[in-house]
Amino acid sequence: MSDTQLIVLFGATGDLARRKLLPGLLHLVSSGLVPDLRIIGASLDELDDERFRELAVAAVGDFGRRHPDEVVADFARRLRYVSTAHGPAELARVVGEVREEIGPCGMLHYLSVPPKAAVDVVATLRDADLVEGSRIIMEKPFGMDAASSRALNARLHAVFDEQQIFRIDHFLGKEAALNILAFRFANGLFEPIWNRTFIDHVQIDVPEELSLQGRSGFYEGTGAFRDMVVTHLFQVLAFMAMEPPTALEAAAISIEKNKVFRSMLPINPADVVRGQYIGYTDEPGVSADSQTETFVALKVLIDNWRWAGVPFYLRTGKRMAEGARIISIAFREPPKSMFPADSGVGRHGPDHLTFDLADSARMSLSFYGKRPGPGLKLDKLSMQFAMHEVSDSRHVLEAYERLIYDAMRGDRTLFTTAEGIERLWDLSQPLLDDPPPVRPYAPGTWGPNAIHQLIAPHGWRLPFERAWRAPNAHGQ
């Protein structure tokens, strides 16, 4: 990785740039990971450098970590701006000025733009002669179905090589997602039981309390399945289900993830529940008879030696009872119980290993243990770990920060490939061709009632019966 980096941020005045990207880039500079970074903001808005700097300073103040004024001022001086309305020649001119000032550098283009605009940005980069030696980060969704995904990849590959393209999934940039790899492959305790013999089923559950927050125009043509399942939840599933890679490097991990996708069975519409929260059709830009789902739950089967017969249940939706990002692994219960009927065994279901992918980055292993005192009464106990209990937790990178840093280094470990994305759309095509009807659900609930029939005879882990252990007064 070059010591000097230049990032061209398309969509620089948008919501994602303000909330995540600009604050994240400031942290990469202030942490010393990318000390010599220059940023060219690009969007259709007519701004000059100073106005963009003011916007960026406001964004990092509102949404970023706290930094001394002099650090923010230094960051602002690293910023330039160009309006894409002026065409590729103007973009090439501004990039050329910055390159002449800083000398040899690594170049990264971040496309924080709507999917329909991505191809136009790629054409602009081609016409501005900014492709050779550069890398490009693409935001989801990567197509809308199998045909459009292949068409998008073909147009990308006409300009960029696959090794230059980084398809971002911020779920995989989270510390807890990386802990899945550490947990599985660095410990002799768990990998031997990570299979159909010991695991009964797996849940990947990502409910959201939030509404569309002004994104109804985008969401109406996308829906929960395209927005969340193909681009996020399937990627997390692959981390959970993949075989041990030959090395912890990008190529080896991509091979094993793509093996999981090739082993997945096509999505059966009968194994899918689609929902729409009551009031969605009142959102601006939404049709009164919209059949767009704001909720989806589905069963996924992986037809290979390790996972045959183990269902993976996925759920996500808007306006639900709470926001969470949970992976829950239910272990098989003992084949026979020697404990008396009133001991409490079985009352709380199977043992679970739980990963919390939220920013708190927690893990929990639940099990039965004897209650102190006379007799043989058992309670459900748990061992828990949280990132805030680690002394160097202050060094944790947020998801976008980690992924941008990895892309600058050319590390593709946490990014998906064209092959993987196209396979997932192929698997999804039966559902897209014949979707089940949307069922209404009240805001603040866990989705339509049909989700209980989908997962029966099991039950959803969320909502939890027991709370996570709270940090003590010292934050530990």
Side-chain angles (χ1 to χ4, degrees):
M1 171 176 160
S2 172
D3 291 339
T4 304
Q5 292 286 324
L6 170 60
I7 182 167
V8 182
L9 177 57
F10 292 90
T13 59
D15 189 63
L16 178 62
R18 292 175 55 251
R19 290 178 176 273
K20 294 293 184 182
L21 304 182
L22 289 168
L25 292 171
L26 169 56
H27 185 243
L28 289 178
V29 172
S30 64
S31 66
L33 288 172
V34 192
D36 194 4
L37 173 66
R38 300 299 178 93
I39 301 154
I40 298 174
S43 78
L44 287 171
D45 295 323
E46 289 288 350
L47 303 176
D48 58 18
D49 291 346
E50 285 307 312
R51 182 68 188 93
F52 178 58
R53 288 166 180 158
E54 292 171 3
L55 182 151
V57 168
V60 300
D62 290 341
F63 302 109
R65 297 170 170 88
R66 295 183 64 86
H67 291 90
D69 292 345
E70 59 271 19
V71 172
V72 176
D74 173 70
F75 178 72
R77 286 191 290 270
R78 301 167 183 262
L79 305 177
R80 293 284 305 272
Y81 182 82
V82 58
S83 172
T84 52
H86 297 165
E90 180 66 7
L91 175 63
R93 183 188 69 80
V94 175
V95 170
E97 289 179 358
V98 175
R99 276 177 153 174
E100 185 176 351
E101 178 184 346
I102 64 178
C105 63
M107 176 172 285
L108 177 66
H109 308 296
Y110 196 120
L111 273 59
S112 177
V113 298
K116 292 180 180 178
V119 172
D120 292 336
V121 172
V122 169
T124 296
L125 292 171
R126 178 199 62 206
D127 295 342
D129 196 21
L130 297 176
V131 173
E132 185 177 356
S134 68
R135 301 182 177 113
I136 181 172
I137 292 181
M138 302 285 298
E139 276 284 348
K140 67 174 180 75
F142 314 114
M144 300 295 284
D145 53 24
S148 62
S149 175
R150 285 185 168 82
L152 173 61
N153 282 326
R155 297 185 73 173
L156 290 174
H157 292 153
V159 180
F160 287 92
D161 294 335
E162 177 65 18
Q163 290 301 309
Q164 294 176 275
I165 303 168
F166 291 75
R167 298 170 185 83
I168 197 166
D169 173 15
H170 69 271
F171 270 49
L172 295 188
K174 293 181 176 296
E175 200 74 31
L178 295 171
N179 251 323
I180 297 171
L181 295 182
F183 203 84
R184 286 190 60 186
F185 302 131
N187 298 294
L189 178 61
F190 290 100
E191 181 56 25
I193 63 172
W194 209 268
N195 55 60
R196 60 188 173 87
T197 304
F198 299 97
I199 292 177
D200 184 79
H201 67 278
V202 178
Q203 297 180 31
I204 302 175
D205 210 348
V206 187
E208 296 181 277
E209 287 183 289
L210 300 175
S211 64
L212 298 178
Q213 297 183 314
R215 297 172 65 236
S216 54
F218 160 78
Y219 204 84
E220 176 67 359
T222 306
F225 182 80
R226 289 182 172 94
D227 185 44
M228 290 292 293
V229 176
V230 177
T231 49
H232 291 325
L233 273 61
F234 281 164
Q235 302 299 325
V236 174
L237 182 152
F239 260 47
M240 291 294 304
M242 72 182 190
E243 296 298 318
T246 56
L248 279 178
E249 55 187 32
I253 289 175
S254 290
I255 288 171
E256 299 305 333
K257 285 175 60 182
N258 287 339
K259 284 181 182 178
V260 173
F261 299 148
R262 288 196 296 272
S263 299
M264 286 170 57
L265 296 179
I267 306 302
N268 183 350
D271 292 332
V272 179
V273 175
R274 298 168 70 233
Q276 185 184 96
Y277 67 78
I278 297 171
Y280 170 73
T281 54
D282 297 329
E283 300 275 2
V286 175
S287 170
D289 58 354
S290 172
Q291 294 298 299
T292 297
E293 79 279 357
T294 62
F295 169 96
V296 65
L298 62 154
K299 179 172 71 174
V300 175
L301 297 173
I302 301 174
D303 191 23
N304 64 15
W305 189 270
R306 183 184 289 260
W307 296 112
V310 177
F312 286 71
Y313 297 102
L314 283 56
R315 176 172 66 168
T316 186
K318 302 288 187 183
R319 298 293 303 276
M320 297 183 68
E322 65 181 67
R325 295 168 182 174
I326 297 293
I327 303 170
S328 187
I329 300 162
F331 293 100
R332 296 194 184 277
E333 298 189 68
K336 182 175 176 59
S337 175
M338 66 186 73
F339 297 93
D342 63 349
S343 67
V345 168
R347 183 180 303 163
H348 300 288
D351 299 336
H352 284 87
L353 175 62
T354 303
F355 294 87
D356 182 354
L357 300 187
D359 293 336
S360 50
R362 299 174 292 195
M363 292 185 293
S364 171
L365 177 63
S366 69
F367 53 91
Y368 283 102
K370 182 186 176 300
R371 184 187 304 171
L376 200 59
K377 301 289 187 180
L378 280 75
D379 289 324
K380 204 70 167 183
L381 309 173
S382 68
M383 293 186 293
Q384 297 185 14
F385 161 79
M387 190 58 62
H388 61 250
E389 296 173 343
V390 180
S391 60
D392 54 358
S393 61
R394 64 187 183 278
H395 299 308
V396 172
L397 291 178
E398 291 190 355
Y400 281 102
E401 296 167 1
R402 176 187 302 280
L403 293 170
I404 291 171
Y405 181 61
D406 284 354
M408 288 177 175
R409 296 187 300 142
D411 185 343
R412 301 172 55 82
T413 302
L414 300 177
F415 297 86
T416 191
T417 63
E419 175 189 349
I421 285 294
E422 290 176 7
R423 170 61 179 166
L424 290 175
W425 283 120
D426 286 338
L427 294 169
S428 304
Q429 202 61 47
L431 172 62
L432 301 179
D433 290 340
D434 185 25
V438 292
R439 303 167 183 262
Y441 65 96
T445 65
W446 289 99
N449 288 332
I451 61 172
H452 303 298
Q453 287 75 50
L454 173 69
I455 202 171
H458 314 298
W460 291 99
R461 279 280 279 161
L462 287 175
F464 287 137
E465 294 180 3
R466 297 178 305 281
W468 288 93
R469 185 179 70 239
N472 64 22
H474 300 290
Q476 297 182 343

